[in-house]
Amino acid sequence: MKVFDVVVVGGGHAGIEAAWAAARLGARVGLVTTNPERIGLMPCNPAVGGPGKSQLVAEIEALGGLMGRLADATAIHTRVLNRSKGPAVQSLRVQVDRDGYALEAQRVLLAHPHVESVRAEVAALWLEGGRLCGVQTVDGRKIGALAVVVASGTFLQGVVWYGRQSRAAGRQGEPPARFLSQSLRALGHRLLRFKTGTPPRIQADSVNYGQLEVVPADHPPETFSGVVGPYATARPTWQTRTTEATHRLIQENLHLSPLYGGDIEGVGPRYCPSIEDKVVRFADKDTHLLFVEPDGLHTTELYLQGFSSSLPPELQVRMVQTLPGFEKAVIQRYAYAVEYDAVDPLELTPGLQSRKLSGLFTAGQLNGTSGYEEAAAQGLLAGLNAARYAMGLPEVFLPRDSGYIGVMIDDLVHRGVDEPYRMMTSRVELRLLCRADNADERLVPLAAEWGLRSQQDLEAVKRKYARVQRELLRLQKCRVEGVSAWQYLRRPEASYDGVLQWVGPPEEPLDKAEAYQVEVRAKYAGYIERQVKLREKLKELEAYTLPATLEYRRVPSLSKEAVEKLSRIRPQTVAEASRVPGIRDSDLTALLVYLTKIPA
């Protein structure tokens, strides 16, 4: 029998980061997948980043994760979105070589001496005397572990739909996880039923590119990890649009959709709808923008972003051929929808451990999220805490004010989900303090404390921001046109390079990232100061801790809904309680009054 410290079930983005984080702490990790050659596969768009998501990747990078590094190594097109807007919402999007990303993920992860790949389908969690002992496979094997991370993506009881026809599958061409849902349900977990989908893949040489609008890559390319890959600007991408004919064809055939026909029970992501959903929900729009993106350097497929569908294959051909440039397009792989089981994240701790079984952690789409980046961020935290659990160390978590990962986890475990959760900048109250460009300052100290980053990395970050602070102080002392150089830099038309023409370079020249920090901190000083004050106000409620043994039914004036939800979720502070849906201001007041009367 194989025995590990941590078993990770699933080799997607969540499973990769979970295995890597646990191994970084020295845990012996068994990565269990039905096919190790599919580790790191991108079943949907072969891209990393974008609004809200690039901030997650920057934080994963700061915490010692792999996603940013893998994306940079296999990039074929990079572009910064929202350049004309403020630094809080600017985001890097990297189109990668789909096959290359998976191969690089396998190469890096499986080369780690503490990670072993195990080919198997997990049928159940292995318990003895109510204690988690590992997992059992469908062929009867038992794999021992002190902690288990389940990162099964869309595979739990997965069903894919092509029109009104369906078959059991976790994604195109792969069987589902048939039995694990039953094991989770037996523990008392409430399972949700969600759905997602993917667009068709188009034969590249069947498209008329002369009718498409080219979207060039940035020169020079930006990166997540600081290392530019060899093909970062190797491929263009393009844009096209739906037409009146597209919309008419969809409207006339909605009865063939499993979603509108009532066959699909799962709830889909509101912020990433299918093309038929867009046509119905946004009936006032005559056209929808679509992005045409290559799947890689050596593939013959194009990805039609924004054209997700579950309509029948023969109808998909007609729909695609109504698009400019696609009049003779050939579909190599048809679009489909997939339904799957997910756990209720309200039954998880802030460290992503099950409240039903100690030592069991879950991550990724299984927790009700949508997207590679959301999955990877959860995987990192779950793998970290699984390793800590195996070592007898207490659980750690990222507070909400620490950044995007903290906000996402807090939303999941305290607010729950009624549809697949997608990270967006608008969810983050302190987004000007939690930018992608300062993720290292915020999170490398924590990563070093937890063993995910080295002390050398931490010292390098400290030196970086010491240089930034020295330059800001210097600019406050220098004068430009009657004001300090720092004040002058706050003008909309001013730039740091321009200021240096007046005051000269610092004694120790800054690199590009450090110069950017100086400019952002000067230009947005007033806004940053306001967000710092907001953060302090939010921390006041964090100071009021809620005892783990608190009997909420004994709290006077607490509503019945609050008693039920707080007893189930068990928030650790009044601030966490305030973010639980259905908790009223009167409930918070009742809690605060009660806490002041509890004997110290």
Side-chain angles (χ1 to χ4, degrees):
M1 182 180 71
K2 290 185 177 293
V3 179
F4 301 94
D5 297 315
V6 175
V7 159
V8 176
V9 181
H13 301 286
I16 288 168
E17 298 293 350
W20 183 255
R24 290 279 290 173
L25 265 65
R28 292 167 297 127
V29 180
L31 180 60
V32 184
T33 65
T34 55
N35 185 355
E37 294 177 359
R38 309 287 279 185
I39 291 171
L41 180 72
M42 291 180 154
C44 204
N45 191 4
V48 172
K53 295 170 177 284
S54 69
Q55 286 86 345
L56 287 174
V57 181
E59 293 182 359
I60 292 168
E61 175 68 22
L63 290 167
L66 285 180
M67 176 167 267
R69 168 179 163 184
L70 298 175
D72 290 340
T74 57
I76 60 174
H77 183 281
T78 64
R79 192 160 63 103
V80 174
L81 310 179
N82 299 324
R83 274 197 188 273
S84 61
K85 299 181 180 180
V89 296
Q90 291 178 9
S91 57
L92 174 62
R93 188 174 186 275
V94 176
Q95 190 80 13
V96 305
D97 183 299
R98 179 176 178 265
D99 295 337
Y101 186 99
L103 290 172
E104 182 69 3
Q106 294 165 30
R107 184 190 70 80
V108 174
L109 182 62
L110 300 181
H112 197 291
H114 290 159
V115 178
E116 181 179 336
S117 173
V118 180
R119 185 189 292 264
E121 179 190 340
V122 172
L125 298 166
W126 170 24
L127 277 67
E128 289 188 1
R131 182 177 64 86
L132 180 64
C133 298
V135 298
Q136 294 177 283
T137 67
V138 293
D139 56 9
R141 284 177 288 166
K142 290 183 176 179
I143 304 173
L146 298 171
V148 173
V149 179
V150 180
S152 51
T154 61
F155 279 70
L156 289 192
Q157 293 295 319
V159 175
V160 298
W161 290 88
Y162 299 86
R164 307 292 293 271
Q165 302 297 314
S166 67
R167 66 170 180 267
R171 59 189 175 203
Q172 191 175 57
E174 294 183 75
R178 298 166 289 174
F179 310 109
L180 194 51
S181 290
Q182 181 179 347
S183 187
L184 291 168
R185 196 176 280 115
L187 289 172
H189 279 284
R190 172 177 174 255
L191 298 188
L192 311 172
R193 193 69 174 166
F194 281 166
K195 123 351 172 182
T196 189
T198 188
R201 305 313 201 274
I202 311 300
Q203 186 172 307
D205 61 6
S206 68
V207 173
N208 180 358
Y209 296 94
Q211 293 192 49
L212 307 183
E213 180 184 345
V214 176
V215 181
D218 287 347
H219 290 272
E222 299 287 342
T223 67
F224 292 114
S225 67
V227 179
V228 178
Y231 306 106
T233 59
R235 292 287 187 273
T237 61
W238 303 267
Q239 291 178 354
T240 189
R241 286 185 172 274
T242 59
T243 64
E244 180 183 347
T246 317
H247 293 207
R248 184 171 58 253
L249 196 56
I250 291 170
Q251 290 166 339
E252 291 173 351
N253 290 280
L254 282 175
H255 62 285
L256 299 177
S257 163
L259 181 64
Y260 288 92
D263 299 309
I264 289 181
E265 299 176 1
V267 180
R270 186 183 355 159
Y271 300 105
C272 189
S274 65
I275 188 61
E276 50 264 36
D277 218 12
K278 290 180 187 177
V279 169
V280 172
R281 285 167 51 190
F282 307 107
D284 57 324
K285 294 193 69 172
D286 297 327
T287 183
H288 292 282
L289 182 65
L290 305 173
F291 290 88
V292 182
E293 299 170 329
D295 251 10
L297 291 171
H298 308 293
T299 69
T300 59
E301 293 182 344
L302 296 174
Y303 182 91
L304 196 53
Q305 186 193 349
F307 210 75
S308 173
S309 179
S310 58
L311 287 166
E314 63 275 10
L315 183 58
Q316 289 183 36
V317 175
R318 294 168 60 197
M319 289 160 51
V320 166
Q321 291 182 348
T322 64
L323 307 176
F326 287 77
E327 292 82 359
K328 298 181 179 179
V330 176
I331 296 179
Q332 286 194 335
R333 286 190 289 162
Y334 293 102
Y336 64 91
V338 57
E339 278 189 290
Y340 56 95
D341 286 345
V343 300
D344 185 347
L346 290 175
E347 298 173 344
L348 305 175
T349 69
L352 298 182
Q353 184 172 195
S354 167
R355 296 182 187 273
K356 306 292 184 181
L357 180 65
S358 296
L360 173 63
F361 299 80
T362 59
Q365 285 185 269
L366 176 62
N367 287 347
T369 59
S370 171
Y372 304 149
E373 300 83 358
E374 291 88 343
Q378 293 172 69
L380 190 152
L381 185 64
L384 164 67
N385 276 314
R388 290 179 66 89
Y389 181 89
M391 297 172 183
L393 298 173
E395 181 177 289
V396 294
F397 68 99
L398 290 163
R400 190 177 183 90
D401 64 1
S402 69
Y404 279 62
I405 298 177
V407 168
M408 176 180 65
I409 302 298
D410 186 78
D411 282 349
L412 292 174
V413 304
H414 293 124
R415 297 181 178 179
V417 292
D418 54 13
E419 64 177 327
Y421 179 100
R422 180 179 180 179
M423 193 69 238
M424 296 179 291
T425 56
S426 59
R427 297 188 189 274
V428 183
E429 304 91 342
L430 303 174
R431 55 185 173 272
L432 193 52
L433 299 182
C434 301
R435 309 180 309 274
D437 61 82
N438 70 351
D440 56 351
E441 181 184 32
R442 291 181 283 115
L443 297 176
V444 168
L446 274 178
E449 178 185 334
W450 294 339
L452 295 172
R453 294 289 295 261
S454 68
Q455 286 301 311
Q456 291 90 334
D457 291 342
L458 176 59
E459 292 304 317
V461 169
K462 287 180 176 179
R463 289 193 297 271
K464 170 184 174 180
Y465 287 97
R467 288 191 291 270
V468 170
Q469 190 59 34
R470 282 197 298 271
E471 180 63 352
L472 287 168
L473 291 173
R474 184 179 81 97
L475 294 182
Q476 289 174 8
K477 296 174 184 177
C478 298
R479 308 292 290 179
V480 176
E481 295 186 356
V483 298
S484 73
W486 179 77
Q487 289 176 302
Y488 182 85
L489 184 52
R490 297 178 67 177
R491 298 179 180 180
E493 72 278 7
S495 68
Y496 177 64
D497 286 340
V499 166
L500 292 185
Q501 300 299 314
W502 293 84
V503 302
E507 185 175 321
E508 187 178 1
L510 306 185
D511 64 22
K512 180 182 177 182
E514 292 163 351
Y516 183 76
Q517 289 296 322
V518 169
E519 189 161 317
V520 167
R521 290 168 192 234
K523 284 190 176 296
Y524 295 91
Y527 298 101
I528 290 172
E529 184 179 352
R530 283 203 289 272
Q531 290 222 327
V532 168
K533 290 179 180 178
L534 173 61
R535 181 174 61 190
E536 295 309 310
K537 287 182 180 179
L538 294 173
K539 281 186 175 179
E540 290 177 8
L541 287 180
E542 296 285 358
Y544 291 94
T545 59
L546 296 168
T549 57
L550 179 60
E551 295 185 53
Y552 288 98
R553 60 186 176 82
R554 297 186 181 277
V555 178
S557 303
L558 203 59
S559 69
K560 288 184 178 180
E561 183 180 11
V563 170
E564 187 273 324
K565 289 188 172 179
L566 296 176
S567 298
R568 180 159 56 99
I569 296 171
R570 288 284 164 191
Q572 297 178 341
T573 67
V574 174
E576 289 182 7
S578 71
R579 296 190 286 272
V580 174
I583 301 302
R584 311 164 192 164
D585 288 344
S586 59
D587 294 322
L588 299 177
T589 300
L591 283 174
L592 291 170
V593 170
Y594 184 77
L595 290 173
T596 59
K597 295 180 179 179
I598 295 178

